[in-house]
Amino acid sequence: MATSRTVKVRVNGVDHEATVEARKTLVDFLREDLGLTGTNVGCEHGVCGACTILMNGETVRSCIMLAVQADGAELMTVEGLAQPGGELHPIQESFRDKHGLQCGFCTPGFLMTTYELLSKHPHADEEEIKEWLSGNLCRCTGYQDILESVKLAATRLRNP
Amino acid sequence: MKPPRFDYYDPRTLQEALEILDAHQGDGKVLAGGQSLMPLLNMRLARPKVVVDINRIQALSYIRPMESGVAIGANARQRALQQENLIAERLPLLREAAYYIAHPQIRSRGTICGSLAHADPAAELPALAMALDAELVATGLRGARTIPSDSFFLSFFTTDLQPNEILTEVRFPAPPKDMAWSILEVSRRHGDFALVGIVAGLAVDQERQAVTDARLIYFGVGPTPIRVKQAERALIGQRPAEAAWDAAARVAGQGIDPSNDIHATEEYRRAVAATLTKRALRAALGKLKDLNASTGSA
């Protein structure tokens, strides 16, 4: 039994260890304990996708997971996309070039969803892209530009 | 909001998990995929004293063949429905249905058994369990019992599962070889809960050109998935064509009990149920033709 636990995770290639309350969600752990505030907290019930990160290579909602459940896992957040020198990832460049972000709140979730999608399905067609993006909400309703951004990113990743 | 305080356990064996649950009769909640429980905790609609996380029980992470069909353990994820060859071979309907089950980002964590235990009447998996005559295995300290799906779902979010039991396995028998299936739903956004959904099964005698068997299970239109036997009976013996689908669609409305809510009126849901009935039967018939073409029997 425990109300708090020590959690060890590797996030964007860096090892972290911290003691957290069992009830703490993974997204709050990332933001408050590890200082990785790129991942946003949106609806807190799994609908909006703003908190989407990668856990062991698969996208998950970090707002409906407990930090203690990530013990031993390898995580990737939006901070892990750009090069250490600050050079943007082709997905980020494509979102910039196609105006795939407006207020930017939902953007980290969209980027991480796009990252898994294009890692596993580099030739994803429009239907497939739409199915994956349907798990993320943009309240500025910039969906067309986001769709174009993902298509451009797919092309760039296939032809680096 | 944030989850309330609770005592957290993550046992390595089923026996330990059952002992913890049993010691906290009614105050414990099982955490598997968490895609339904965590929202309830975040919104404080659930305030268990104890959370028993079963994710570290390796023995429950499996999808394996049975003599006919497949057995799926409590920790098998919804994504496995799309990834496992065994599902593609033996239960292609489940593979097809996964497309409708939330989003890839939810299916990565969400478990098949978790959705069944949660028993949201608008969810796909309970309807699929009913349609395919699945059996659910509830395990407690005194042993396991097997529950047919049509007596497992009792009401909204309510099942036959006892507070000291864990839904450890669901068994999907392979459906009859001569039956074709389809699943359809209407939701506000792809991946959201269905306003109305249907799982339809159809068998046709090719020589007589008559429907020999039918299954019609609706979801999102009552407290549990609803099998409408009157509509199934309306199809038996009929020529597999539009007139029969129309008749089934009309009768279907008598067996369902949709609610009015912020998303849709009762009237709208009834109209959608009728339309989906026709579309699903057309789709099933199309698959039967493909099936017959590939086996050369027609």
Side-chain angles (χ1 to χ4, degrees):
Chain A
M1 188 265 276
T3 52
S4 59
R5 278 286 181 95
T6 300
V7 174
K8 289 183 190 174
V9 284
R10 173 172 276 241
V11 189
N12 305 325
V14 179
D15 289 323
H16 295 272
E17 185 175 331
T19 301
V20 296
E21 263 196 284
R23 64 168 169 159
K24 189 161 214 169
T25 59
L26 180 55
V27 67
D28 284 339
F29 172 67
L30 290 169
R31 291 175 56 87
E32 295 170 5
D33 297 71
L34 304 189
L36 294 165
T37 53
T39 307
N40 283 329
V41 189
C43 69
E44 296 192 294
H45 57 279
V47 173
C48 80
C51 68
T52 304
I53 63 166
L54 265 72
M55 181 165 115
N56 301 328
E58 288 189 332
T59 42
V60 298
R61 306 288 210 221
S62 60
C63 77
I64 49 173
M65 261 194 76
L66 298 170
V68 290
Q69 292 188 287
D71 187 29
E74 182 133 352
L75 308 178
M76 181 179 176
T77 66
V78 69
E79 288 92 345
L81 280 178
Q83 296 297 310
E87 192 190 331
L88 294 182
H89 188 279
I91 294 174
Q92 293 171 307
E93 282 184 339
S94 301
F95 269 68
R96 182 190 61 195
D97 295 348
K98 286 286 177 184
H99 198 62
L101 65 163
Q102 293 185 46
C103 85
F105 188 84
C106 68
T107 307
F110 271 103
L111 294 175
M112 301 319 286
T113 289
T114 304
Y115 185 88
E116 191 198 357
L117 168 65
L118 296 182
S119 305
K120 294 186 176 160
H121 308 278
H123 296 275
D125 62 18
E126 185 157 324
E127 269 316 292
E128 220 168 346
I129 296 173
K130 281 182 178 170
E131 195 216 332
W132 278 71
L133 295 186
S134 76
N136 294 71
L137 290 178
C138 162
R139 295 189 70 175
C140 310
T141 69
Y143 295 109
Q144 193 56 39
D145 287 343
I146 292 171
L147 183 61
E148 295 303 324
S149 304
V150 178
K151 285 189 202 164
L152 178 62
T155 308
R156 284 180 175 169
L157 286 169
R158 285 199 305 264
N159 312 291
Chain B
M1 286 178 72
K2 309 294 175 190
R5 279 200 182 82
F6 49 75
D7 289 338
Y8 174 80
Y9 296 83
D10 56 347
R12 265 49 176 180
T13 66
L14 177 60
Q15 178 69 20
E16 285 172 76
L18 292 171
E19 281 167 11
I20 299 160
L21 268 186
D22 202 68
H24 297 90
Q25 289 284 342
D27 286 331
K29 268 289 193 190
V30 175
L31 176 62
Q35 305 299 285
S36 303
L37 179 61
M38 283 297 299
L40 293 176
L41 292 174
N42 279 350
M43 290 187 275
R44 302 205 176 187
L45 294 169
R47 292 169 170 270
K49 285 193 182 141
V50 169
V51 168
V52 185
D53 180 353
I54 62 170
N55 282 280
R56 312 243 176 216
I57 306 176
Q58 296 289 341
L60 294 177
S61 302
Y62 61 86
I63 293 186
R64 57 186 173 221
M66 299 187 303
E67 200 173 313
S68 152
V70 296
I72 299 172
N75 279 336
R77 310 286 160 182
Q78 290 156 4
R79 275 200 186 188
L81 296 175
Q82 294 168 300
Q83 293 166 341
E84 295 281 332
N85 290 333
L86 192 62
I87 298 288
E89 285 160 20
R90 297 194 171 197
L91 286 155
L93 174 65
L94 289 185
R95 184 190 163 87
E96 183 183 336
Y99 170 77
Y100 292 106
I101 301 171
H103 311 283
Q105 304 93 330
I106 300 281
R107 298 197 286 268
S108 57
R109 292 291 300 166
T111 61
I112 296 151
C113 285
S115 176
L116 295 167
H118 185 60
D120 189 316
E124 296 81 7
L125 280 160
L128 290 159
M130 293 262 294
L132 297 172
D133 289 326
E135 291 183 323
L136 298 101
V137 181
T139 305
L141 279 179
R142 286 193 206 139
R145 61 193 180 103
T146 304
I147 309 162
S149 49
D150 60 6
S151 50
F152 182 76
F153 302 104
L154 302 179
S155 186
F156 296 98
F157 307 103
T158 309
T159 69
D160 188 39
L161 210 56
Q162 300 303 303
N164 58 353
E165 288 178 324
I166 295 176
L167 178 60
T168 46
E169 182 177 286
V170 56
R171 297 172 183 159
F172 282 96
K177 285 212 182 327
D178 59 347
M179 239 173 152
W181 298 84
S182 67
I183 176 169
L184 290 173
E185 68 178 51
V186 167
S187 58
R188 293 195 307 153
R189 165 180 70 148
H190 176 78
D192 284 359
F193 280 107
L195 293 175
V196 181
I198 183 173
V199 181
L202 190 69
V204 171
D205 181 321
Q206 296 295 327
E207 279 178 23
R208 290 196 300 123
Q209 273 299 296
V211 175
T212 54
D213 201 359
R215 272 291 169 107
L216 294 170
I217 283 85
Y218 297 83
F219 52 104
V221 293
T224 63
I226 310 282
R227 180 175 173 193
V228 185
K229 291 187 183 170
Q230 308 95 294
E232 295 172 2
R233 280 196 294 270
L235 289 167
I236 307 291
Q238 301 299 308
R239 208 168 74 81
E242 287 303 310
W245 313 155
D246 284 344
R250 269 196 308 276
V251 179
Q254 294 160 21
I256 59 173
D257 179 24
S259 58
N260 278 304
D261 60 36
I262 192 169
H263 305 305
T265 60
E266 178 190 337
E267 195 183 16
Y268 175 77
R269 283 193 163 93
R270 285 186 189 280
V272 172
T275 300
L276 287 184
T277 304
K278 290 186 251 186
R279 285 187 194 163
L281 287 166
R282 271 182 219 132
L285 183 68
K287 286 185 193 172
L288 267 184
K289 286 179 175 161
D290 292 346
L291 200 70
N292 291 325
S294 68
T295 56
S297 70

